[in-house]
């Protein structure tokens, strides 16, 4: 229950029983999702441990930061849909553009499983100096764009508190 504090849930339920908040994601059904839990509880952490792993956090303020990160999932899909729509406007059949974009990002997404490389290293691995990827990253995802994303996340986090 996004934005509902444990104390509020205890009050609403009229119980002193343990209450654990969790952020289960759709990938849990494939046992490939790390689930943030607060507070840590052996039964809950064991359950989500079988569904891809748990990331217990000590307090609800930290949980809310993870909740804000979770709120970016559909933005990622809209980004991909925007790429597909742009390609279609360039004359590529929409079905072909959709198929290509899905395949492109599924392949790139698999690189995320290599936790020995930072996200910045993964980006560098896919970018030639002065190449097309660097050009789009530095012209589209500039400081103003990054700041706008940060401000949107800050506002959401403020609301979650």
């Amino acid at each position: 229950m996004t934005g509902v504090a444990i104390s509020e849930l205890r009050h609403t339920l009229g119980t002193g029983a343990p209450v654990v908040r969790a952020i289960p994601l759709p990938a849990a059904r494939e046992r490939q999702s790390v689930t943030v839990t607060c507070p840590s509880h052996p039964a809950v952490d064991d359950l989500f441990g079988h569904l891809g792993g748990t990331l217990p956090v000590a307090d609800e303020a930290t949980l809310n930061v993870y909740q804000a990160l979770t709120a970016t999932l559909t933005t990622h899909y809209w980004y991909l849909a925007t790429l597909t729509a742009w390609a279609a406007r360039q004359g590529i059949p929409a079905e072909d553009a959709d198929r290509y974009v899905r395949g492109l990002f599924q392949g790139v997404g698999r690189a995320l499983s290599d936790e020995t490389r930072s996200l910045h290293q993964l980006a560098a691995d896919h970018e030639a100096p002065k190449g097309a990827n660097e050009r789009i990253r530095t012209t589209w995802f500039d400081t103003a764009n990054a700041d706008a994303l940060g401000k949107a996340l800050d506002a959401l986090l403020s609301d979650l508190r």
Side-chain angles (χ1 to χ4, degrees), residues 95-115:
E95 301 79 24
D96 292 347
D98 184 88
R99 181 176 174 216
Y100 181 75
V101 167
R102 286 174 185 263
L104 176 66
F105 284 88
Q106 284 171 354
V108 169
R110 284 190 283 280
L112 293 171
S113 65
D114 181 357
E115 295 180 14

Side-chain angles (χ1 to χ4, degrees), residues 126-144:
H126 290 86
E127 193 173 270
K130 308 277 188 216
N133 278 286
E134 181 183 61
R135 179 177 177 178
I136 294 298
R137 177 184 56 80
T138 59
T139 57
W140 180 73
F141 202 75
D142 60 8
T143 302

Side-chain angles (χ1 to χ4, degrees), residues 21-97:
R21 290 181 58 198
I23 308 173
L25 301 174
R29 70 177 164 248
E30 297 154 0
R31 298 175 187 227
Q32 296 184 357
S33 174
V34 173
T35 300
V36 177
T37 61
C38 177
S40 182
H41 187 281
V44 174
D45 293 345
D46 184 58
L47 168 70
F48 288 115
H50 293 291
L51 299 176
T54 57
L55 179 58
V57 298
D59 55 60
E60 290 182 278
T62 303
L63 180 85
N64 288 338
V65 172
Y66 284 102
Q67 194 70 57
L69 291 173
T70 303
T72 66
L73 285 174
T74 59
T75 301
H76 178 72
Y77 290 120
W78 275 91
Y79 171 76
L80 300 179
T82 301
L83 296 177
T84 301
W86 176 86
R89 288 193 306 275
Q90 306 312 307
I92 302 294
E95 301 79 24
D96 292 347

